[in-house]
Amino acid sequence: MLTDDELCCPPNLYIDGKWVNALGGATRDIVNPADGTVIATVDEADRADAVAAVAAARAAFDTGDWPRTPVAERIAYLLRIADLLEADRDHLARIETLDTGKTLRESYIDVDDVVSVFRYYAHLAAAGADRLVDTGDPAVISRVVREPVGVCVLVAPWNYPLLQMSWKIAPALAAGCTMVAKPSEVTPLSTIALVRLIDRAGVPPGVVNLVQSSGATVGSALTDTPDVDLISFTGGAATGEVIAGNAAKHITRVALELGGKNPHIVFPDADFDSAVDAVLTGAFLHSGQVCSAGTRLIVHESMADEFVAALAVRARGITVGPGLDPASETGPLVSQAHRAKVEAYVALGIAGGARLVTGGARPDDPALQAGSFYLPTIFDHCQRSMRIVQEETFGPILTVERFTTDAEALALGNDTAYGLAAGVRTADPARAERFARGLRHGTVWLNDFGYYTPAAEWGGFGRSGIGRELGPSGLAEYQETKHIWLNTAPAVGGWFTHN
Ligand code: NAD
């Protein structure tokens, strides 16, 4: 088991198999968003640390054994990491809750998912994806093989720190890549813990490197360099644009998992109570700080008043509180700065004429005043042109639009620059299938919302990103495809005949 010191105390940059302090000596305080207290102080990398981490990963790829390690050995490492994560489940869940604010129940779900993802990629790597091609010439053996893409930079956000980083590290290790992981500077603790377990599992030096710092400080060293072969980024669309621009300069491969503004469409034939419950959970889980949060309700006019009233009752009943308190159903926003952004969106909604049904304020419980809590908020009678409808507010804000025809509902569901996820609730299987195929989103949930599984691809259309994580595509992101043509009976070809 990891000790608290190992989790939180410097040195906690990990470069070339050694735990080191930042070269510049800088540190950063990590704050518990539930009460504003400092829970850890970690090393804050600067450009020189990031350059050293990329160099270590480059050397481990170019001259180390890892890319050439038999797949069975790499699988054993993945399974060992999964076992270590499972053994430290309580510890990891607690640290994730302290760092992000999410409830312990959510953190346990994240840790369990991460264990499954390491095991899934161990299983998938064992299956292999190489294939023989029939060229029509019996003398030729033609093979298409998968090889590790090379040095990967893995950048993760603060809302699912352990989970998002593991969705990258597990397939990258399975593929034989080396890597530099950069968690969000706001929530680095569970990634530090993960890398400690990877170290403990015996993964060779230089294969996994870790730097934590702000993106502004180390971003260009990690993403604007010819020494990196793939950048896999999860975060906001604006940062994704910068990273894609840097990658373009070097023709570096780039995988982007960006934001979402996800519609949840409810028809009158849907089961009412389960629809209310799913819309509520989809919008307010983790206080809306979920890329796939269903924060845009599109509900049939005939039932909208009744539906919104029922939702408001349930939203007012949500217990907002510290994630470690078992009574809490949702935690705080990740920081005071983030809450200020959410509050600005609420002000925009009010100014734009949306009707505030509930929330729109901080909780008045004196015990919550030091944390960055915000009440579940519903805006009714929203218009598609409003910024709170089109932009990712990344907080507990649900907007409501009404429709009358199926065509209108589909048009509203696709009326977004994003395209990460959508939900549809109806009892009509034919309508469900029409919407499943008509919605331009990477995941469509029918009569459910928010579920994912390691074996199914995750990612978005449009401004929600490029590429897919999880599933076989999530491994393919970390692989190059090579065609090997072997002629077993070489002979003069005779193309040029004049000399
Ligand atoms: P962010 O874009 O601000 O930061 C994400 C990461 O990028 C952080 O580690 C940050 O330090 C780093 N970064 C910032 N500038 C950088 C630069 N110039 N170069 C390199 N790295 C840089 O996002 P956030 O606020 O941490 O996370 C919230 C966003 O993440 C939301 O938009 C959410 O939808 C998205 N997200 C998407 C998914 C998905 O699967 N599609 C999952 C979770 C979160």
Side-chain angles (χ1 to χ4, degrees), residues 291-310:
C291 52
S292 54
T295 51
R296 186 174 177 187
L297 170 63
I298 296 166
V299 58
H300 195 270
E301 177 65 49
S302 65
M303 61 182 298
D305 287 345
E306 193 191 352
F307 198 83
V308 172

Side-chain angles (χ1 to χ4, degrees), residues 28 153-161 163-165 167-168 182-187 211-224 231 233-240 242-243 246 256-262 288-293 334 338 341 392 394 418 420 458-460 463-465 469:
R28 177 187 289 266
V153 160
L154 314 176
V155 183
W158 49 257
N159 60 335
Y160 285 85
L163 179 144
Q164 296 294 345
M165 190 58 90
W167 287 12
K168 300 179 190 306
K182 197 206 88 61
S184 166
E185 63 275 26
V186 184
T187 55
V211 290
Q212 53 271 345
S213 179
S214 80
T217 308
V218 296
S220 65
L222 296 178
T223 65
D224 189 354
I231 304 160
F233 169 75
T234 302
T239 314
V242 174
I243 286 177
N246 286 342
L256 302 174
E257 294 289 340
L258 308 178
K261 188 71 189 183
N262 313 290
Q289 301 166 113
V290 181
C291 52
S292 54
V334 77
H338 185 57
K341 285 188 201 159
E392 185 185 46
F394 225 54
Y418 291 108
L420 188 58
W458 177 261
R463 271 181 76 78
S464 288
E469 295 196 305

